[in-house]
Amino acid sequence: MSKGKVLVVGSNATRIEIQGGKTGPTGQYLNETVVPVMALIDGGYEVILATPDGTKPHIDEASLSAQHFGGDAKAFERAKAFYAGDPSMNRVRTIRQVIDDGLDSYAAVFVPGGQAPVVDLMQDPELGEVLRHFHTQKKPTALLCHGPVAVVAALPMAREFRAALVAGDHAKAEALAKGWQYAGYKMTVFNASEEKYVEDQILHGKMYFTMPEALTAAGGMVVSGTVDFAPHVIEDRELITGQNPRSDQLLGATLLKALEREVVAI
């Protein structure tokens, strides 16, 4: 018998803007998606995957490596098989369908990383509805790597906020963020020096803004770990954020503990 349902909100983005009017390949990271999801399922929870358009998220090819699984080739193969074949990853709904069917039945929400959420989720109004609901209900809200930037979707003018960041107008972005639900929360996210590696080695170009810049402009208290690419998770009230791909297992474990606390409280 299921302990409850967890909503996983994925991205549909496959390209991301880089400076100079160009774009680079993007998507969700395999390990950041399946490691926490498999932990939730092993912990007795049912997972429902939703995206803006109801199609399955694209996996960034940069994440298709055993190095993201501690060099464990068997774990990498299990992850690929899980994402390809498990029903939880293939019965995809739109975010709107999930909202219309009612969010009260969900115990938590999880947003995986990869750079893709920077493109669509951080400015998606329907994800904004989801986040505001879980914030109001004080239910666990977990986001990993680039995923934490998606919490700005809770802003009424999230699209304008993102556009201001792309334009380099941080004063305008800060003005648009007044009254943000997560202002003053401690949180972490893929930091600028970690991003530089991706820009240099994968995108071959610079992004328009860093993730800490975005969350700080919105009013978040961003705290990075002392070592790049080392596991780092911050939990502040209902918000659980993980900094980078190697935070996948720690974030999943932290989310499970938060869910168990909710069960005990009930």
Side-chain angles (χ1 to χ4, degrees):
M1 183 177 176
S2 171
K3 291 181 179 179
K5 293 192 298 184
V6 175
L7 175 62
V8 176
V9 179
S11 168
N12 291 127
T14 61
R15 306 289 298 180
I16 189 167
E17 312 101 315
I18 52 179
Q19 292 182 24
K22 301 176 182 179
T23 65
T26 196
Q28 287 186 191
Y29 262 42
L30 178 66
N31 68 300
E32 295 177 26
T33 303
V34 305
V35 170
V37 165
M38 291 170 76
L40 287 166
I41 292 173
D42 288 346
Y45 291 88
E46 178 186 2
V47 168
I48 305 297
L49 175 61
T51 64
D53 69 12
T55 63
K56 191 173 180 178
H58 171 71
I59 295 297
D60 192 331
E61 289 187 7
S63 72
L64 296 177
S65 169
Q67 73 176 23
H68 295 295
F69 296 84
D72 186 335
K74 289 183 178 179
F76 175 43
E77 292 302 322
R78 283 196 301 271
K80 287 194 294 182
F82 177 86
Y83 192 74
D86 194 85
S88 69
M89 297 289 94
N90 289 283
R91 295 172 182 165
V92 190
R93 312 192 70 202
T94 66
I95 302 173
R96 173 47 55 192
Q97 286 173 329
V98 170
I99 293 169
D100 289 346
D101 285 348
L103 294 170
D104 286 337
S105 62
Y106 290 90
V109 60
F110 166 54
V111 179
Q115 291 177 313
V118 183
V119 180
D120 55 0
L121 295 186
M122 74 176 288
Q123 58 180 335
D124 188 277
E126 290 167 343
L127 176 58
E129 286 186 54
V130 171
L131 291 168
R132 290 191 292 271
H133 173 87
F134 280 88
H135 172 75
T136 300
Q137 297 298 317
K138 297 181 173 60
K139 289 184 176 180
T141 301
L143 311 98
L144 179 58
C145 197
H146 288 80
V149 81
V151 290
V152 303
L155 291 169
M157 301 185 75
R159 288 176 179 169
E160 292 83 353
F161 175 85
R162 185 183 188 277
L165 290 174
V166 170
D169 192 341
H170 284 234
K172 183 176 181 180
E174 289 173 7
L176 289 166
K178 297 297 184 186
W180 188 44
Q181 291 84 345
Y182 302 102
Y185 275 59
K186 289 183 179 179
M187 57 188 71
T188 192
V189 70
F190 203 64
N191 72 26
S193 54
E194 291 169 327
E195 196 79 76
K196 188 176 187 306
Y197 173 83
V198 177
E199 291 173 331
D200 292 347
Q201 303 299 321
I202 298 172
L203 292 179
H204 306 293
K206 281 189 64 63
M207 293 176 65
Y208 280 96
F209 56 89
T210 69
M211 303 309 102
E213 284 175 344
L215 292 177
T216 300
M221 296 177 62
V222 180
V223 181
S224 293
T226 56
V227 179
D228 283 357
F229 295 107
H232 180 60
V233 169
I234 290 179
E235 185 174 8
D236 187 351
R237 287 158 278 187
E238 82 277 9
L239 190 66
I240 302 166
T241 49
Q243 181 173 324
N244 49 43
R246 291 180 183 168
S247 303
D248 54 1
Q249 293 184 26
L250 181 57
L251 182 123
T254 305
L255 175 54
L256 277 170
K257 288 179 182 176
L259 284 164
E260 294 306 314
R261 288 198 302 270
E262 291 292 308
V263 171
V264 171
I266 292 169

Coordinates of all heavy atoms in Angstrom, one line a residue, residues 1-2 16 32 54 56 80 84 86 93 111 113 121 165 168 185 205 239 250-251 257 264:
M1 N 0.8 -1.2 0.0 CA 0.0 0.0 0.0 C 0.9 1.3 0.0 O 1.8 1.3 0.7 CB -0.9 0.0 1.2 CG -1.9 1.2 1.3 SD -3.0 1.1 2.7 CE -3.8 2.7 2.5
S2 N 0.5 2.2 -0.9 CA 1.3 3.4 -1.0 C 1.2 4.3 0.2 O 0.2 4.4 0.9 CB 0.9 4.2 -2.2 OG 1.5 5.5 -2.3
I16 N 18.9 25.8 -24.6 CA 18.9 26.9 -23.6 C 19.7 28.1 -24.2 O 20.7 27.9 -25.0 CB 19.6 26.5 -22.3 CG1 19.5 27.6 -21.2 CG2 21.0 26.1 -22.5 CD1 19.8 27.1 -19.8
E32 N 19.8 13.0 -11.6 CA 19.1 14.0 -10.8 C 17.6 13.7 -10.8 O 16.8 14.1 -9.9 CB 19.3 15.4 -11.2 CG 20.8 15.8 -11.0 CD 21.0 17.2 -11.5 OE1 20.1 18.0 -11.6 OE2 22.2 17.5 -11.9
G54 N 3.0 17.8 -21.1 CA 2.5 16.4 -20.9 C 3.4 15.4 -21.7 O 3.0 14.2 -21.7
K56 N 7.2 13.5 -22.1 CA 8.3 13.0 -21.3 C 9.5 14.0 -21.4 O 9.9 14.4 -22.5 CB 8.7 11.6 -21.7 CG 9.6 10.9 -20.7 CD 9.8 9.4 -21.1 CE 10.7 8.7 -20.2 NZ 10.9 7.2 -20.6
K80 N 19.1 4.0 -16.5 CA 18.6 4.2 -17.9 C 17.4 3.3 -18.1 O 16.4 3.7 -18.7 CB 19.7 3.8 -18.9 CG 20.8 4.9 -19.0 CD 21.7 4.6 -20.2 CE 22.5 3.4 -20.1 NZ 23.4 3.2 -21.3
A84 N 13.6 4.5 -19.0 CA 13.0 4.1 -20.3 C 11.8 3.3 -20.1 O 10.8 3.4 -20.8 CB 14.1 3.3 -21.0
D86 N 10.1 2.3 -16.6 CA 9.2 2.2 -15.5 C 7.9 3.0 -15.8 O 8.0 4.2 -16.3 CB 9.9 2.8 -14.3 CG 9.1 2.5 -13.0 OD1 9.3 1.4 -12.4 OD2 8.3 3.4 -12.6
R93 N 1.7 13.4 -17.3 CA 0.5 14.2 -17.4 C 1.0 15.7 -17.6 O 2.1 16.0 -17.4 CB -0.3 14.1 -16.1 CG -0.5 12.7 -15.6 CD -1.5 12.6 -14.5 NE -2.8 12.9 -15.0 CZ -3.8 13.3 -14.3 NH1 -3.7 13.5 -12.9 NH2 -5.0 13.6 -14.8
V111 N 11.3 18.8 -8.0 CA 11.7 19.3 -9.4 C 13.2 18.9 -9.6 O 14.1 19.4 -8.9 CB 11.5 20.8 -9.5 CG1 12.0 21.3 -10.8 CG2 10.1 21.2 -9.2
G113 N 16.9 18.5 -11.7 CA 17.7 19.5 -12.3 C 18.2 19.1 -13.7 O 17.5 18.4 -14.4
L121 N 10.5 26.0 -16.7 CA 9.8 25.9 -15.4 C 9.9 27.1 -14.6 O 9.0 27.5 -13.8 CB 10.4 24.7 -14.6 CG 10.1 23.3 -15.2 CD1 10.6 22.2 -14.3 CD2 8.7 23.1 -15.6
L165 N 16.3 39.4 -15.9 CA 17.6 38.8 -15.6 C 18.4 38.6 -16.9 O 19.6 38.9 -17.0 CB 17.4 37.4 -15.0 CG 16.9 37.4 -13.5 CD1 16.7 36.0 -13.1 CD2 17.9 38.1 -12.6
G168 N 19.9 41.7 -18.0 CA 20.9 42.2 -17.0 C 20.4 43.3 -16.1 O 21.2 44.0 -15.5
Y185 N 14.2 32.6 2.8 CA 14.5 31.2 3.0 C 16.0 31.0 2.7 O 16.5 31.5 1.7 CB 13.7 30.3 2.1 CG 12.3 30.0 2.5 CD1 11.3 30.9 2.8 CD2 11.9 28.6 2.6 CE1 10.1 30.6 3.2 CE2 10.6 28.3 3.0 CZ 9.7 29.3 3.3 OH 8.4 28.9 3.7
G205 N 29.7 28.6 -24.3 CA 29.2 29.9 -24.3 C 28.7 30.2 -22.9 O 28.6 29.4 -22.1
L239 N 11.0 23.9 2.4 CA 11.9 23.9 1.2 C 13.1 23.1 1.4 O 13.9 23.3 2.3 CB 12.2 25.4 0.8 CG 12.9 25.6 -0.5 CD1 11.9 25.2 -1.7 CD2 13.3 27.0 -0.7
L250 N 21.6 12.5 -1.3 CA 21.3 13.2 -0.1 C 20.0 13.9 -0.2 O 19.2 14.0 0.8 CB 22.4 14.2 0.2 CG 22.3 15.1 1.4 CD1 22.2 14.2 2.7 CD2 23.6 16.0 1.6
L251 N 19.7 14.5 -1.3 CA 18.4 15.2 -1.4 C 17.2 14.2 -1.3 O 16.2 14.4 -0.6 CB 18.3 15.9 -2.8 CG 16.9 16.7 -2.9 CD1 17.1 18.1 -3.1 CD2 16.0 16.1 -4.0
K257 N 12.9 11.8 4.7 CA 12.8 12.1 6.1 C 11.7 13.1 6.4 O 11.0 13.0 7.4 CB 14.2 12.6 6.7 CG 15.2 11.5 6.8 CD 16.5 12.0 7.3 CE 17.6 11.0 7.4 NZ 18.9 11.5 7.8
V264 N 4.2 11.4 10.8 CA 4.1 11.3 12.2 C 3.3 12.5 12.8 O 2.5 12.3 13.7 CB 5.6 11.4 12.8 CG1 5.5 11.6 14.3 CG2 6.4 10.2 12.5

